[in-house]
Amino acid sequence: SIANFFNDVKYCYKPDGILGHTDKLFSVSEKEDMLKKLVCSLLKNDKFIFAFDDLRYLDLNEEIEDAYDKIFTPQVTQEYLPQNRFGFMHYISIPTLLVCGTSPRQGKFSLQLEIRRRLLERGIKLGQIGTEPSAFLFGMDDCFHYGYNHSTTLKGHDTIQYINNSMYDISECGKEIILSGCQSAMLVREENYLFTYPLEQHSYLLGFQPDAIVLCVNMFDDIKFITRTISYLEGAVECKVIALVLYPQIYTSPLSGIVLPDAKSESIDETKERFSKKTGLKVFILGDFGNMEELVTSVISFFSE
């Protein structure tokens, strides 16, 4: 798996720096060669780089021999697929928890980190697959990055098989629960725009086969859209949406990414109460210490029943 490859790499080279997404930073024409110069400078000084973006397009080997031996980018390709499975899937015998959302940019990965920290503090042996390129940096067991500017090539059945196999490997290491999260939204929000169709999310959901789901929602979400998302998740796989987590900021539009100031506390409380009443689920506020503790307690209680 990619996790084994990463472990081999990080023990051969000590990571000296993290290079995040740079496509927008270096997109200005007069600066187009700055990224290559920066990377070459680091490599010439014998630095090992953890890069979020695939840097192969820079053709670094032209200037530095074996340059890519000192660069690691989390990406899953065909070579990491299990062989000779003949379409059969592993049965995962431990509880599985998935974080999903109704839109992009609502703190799903931050929520996973909150849950992760609190479960570990309680002494629970946690296994985790991250879908952000920084997953390994937080000590997660595997990384399947299929979000912004990803270079993962698996699709459809291959995604399902890889995730199932990764979960099996994690479950065989003495873990008590596996946590992960989907990218972006689970339902089509803009039906006239092809790139909002959540095909990768659907494949990931089928591969992970969660027992329980925590659904992230926005202040602006229509209650019908939330209930549709819940129905879809519980219908697509045999699972239960056990809680909603409210992102306490407001976007000018779901896809704009432009954030207005934090919503007023009375507005948050009103939205929280309305969503809870309409869905019959507990609603927690992302970032609220007490709410996050209560959420983790609810997760543990769900799997203890």
Side-chain angles (χ1 to χ4, degrees), residues 61-111:
N61 285 331
E62 293 180 352
E63 299 191 25
I64 301 175
E65 186 178 356
D66 298 325
Y68 293 99
D69 289 345
K70 292 187 178 181
I71 300 174
F72 176 80
T73 301
Q75 54 185 317
V76 183
T77 56
Q78 293 291 132
E79 65 183 293
Y80 297 114
L81 272 179
Q83 300 299 312
N84 302 320
R85 292 291 303 158
F86 306 105
F88 291 100
M89 306 281 283
H90 292 290
Y91 172 74
I92 309 303
S93 59
I94 62 175
T96 54
L97 175 68
L98 188 65
V99 173
C100 297
T102 56
S103 78
R105 306 182 185 94
Q106 55 185 178
K108 289 183 286 296
F109 193 67
S110 296
L111 176 59

Side-chain angles (χ1 to χ4, degrees), residues 1-218:
S1 69
I2 187 179
N4 293 330
F5 176 74
F6 174 70
N7 286 330
D8 291 340
V9 169
K10 73 177 181 179
Y11 287 124
C12 292
Y13 301 100
K14 177 183 177 182
D16 297 295
I18 303 166
L19 186 62
H21 294 302
T22 58
D23 53 321
K24 292 183 179 180
L25 179 64
F26 293 102
S27 62
V28 183
S29 59
E30 62 267 23
K31 298 181 180 179
E32 60 185 3
D33 62 338
M34 288 183 62
L35 175 60
K36 187 171 183 177
K37 290 180 179 179
L38 170 64
V39 173
C40 286
S41 175
L42 291 170
L43 296 179
K44 287 176 181 178
N45 284 280
D46 203 30
K47 303 298 183 182
F48 172 60
I49 303 171
F50 188 106
F52 287 10
D53 295 328
D54 187 355
L55 302 180
R56 286 175 295 182
Y57 74 95
L58 294 176
D59 294 326
L60 298 171
N61 285 331
E62 293 180 352
E63 299 191 25
I64 301 175
E65 186 178 356
D66 298 325
Y68 293 99
D69 289 345
K70 292 187 178 181
I71 300 174
F72 176 80
T73 301
Q75 54 185 317
V76 183
T77 56
Q78 293 291 132
E79 65 183 293
Y80 297 114
L81 272 179
Q83 300 299 312
N84 302 320
R85 292 291 303 158
F86 306 105
F88 291 100
M89 306 281 283
H90 292 290
Y91 172 74
I92 309 303
S93 59
I94 62 175
T96 54
L97 175 68
L98 188 65
V99 173
C100 297
T102 56
S103 78
R105 306 182 185 94
Q106 55 185 178
K108 289 183 286 296
F109 193 67
S110 296
L111 176 59
Q112 292 167 64
L113 294 178
E114 291 275 7
I115 296 173
R116 172 185 176 83
R117 178 168 65 85
R118 285 169 169 79
L119 288 176
L120 292 175
E121 286 176 349
R122 299 187 189 204
I124 294 174
K125 297 176 182 177
L126 175 69
Q128 190 166 5
I129 304 173
T131 57
E132 294 289 348
S134 57
F136 285 133
L137 300 175
F138 289 99
M140 297 180 191
D141 300 270
D142 203 353
C143 175
F144 189 88
H145 177 219
Y146 70 95
Y148 176 77
N149 213 27
H150 71 87
S151 51
T152 293
T153 61
L154 302 189
K155 304 288 183 183
H157 286 168
D158 288 343
T159 293
I160 295 170
Q161 187 178 44
Y162 179 88
I163 296 304
N164 174 257
N165 195 72
S166 178
M167 293 173 68
Y168 176 75
D169 289 343
I170 292 172
S171 69
E172 290 293 289
C173 295
K175 305 296 185 179
E176 297 174 313
I177 183 175
I178 303 177
L179 169 66
S180 190
C182 277
Q183 290 280 345
S184 195
M186 301 306 299
L187 291 184
V188 177
R189 192 181 283 270
E190 300 287 340
E191 294 182 357
N192 60 341
Y193 186 54
L194 179 63
F195 297 109
T196 65
Y197 282 57
L199 303 181
E200 289 80 9
Q201 291 90 314
H202 182 70
S203 295
Y204 196 88
L205 174 67
L206 295 181
F208 194 79
Q209 290 288 324
D211 297 310
I213 290 178
V214 173
L215 179 63
C216 293
V217 297
N218 302 294

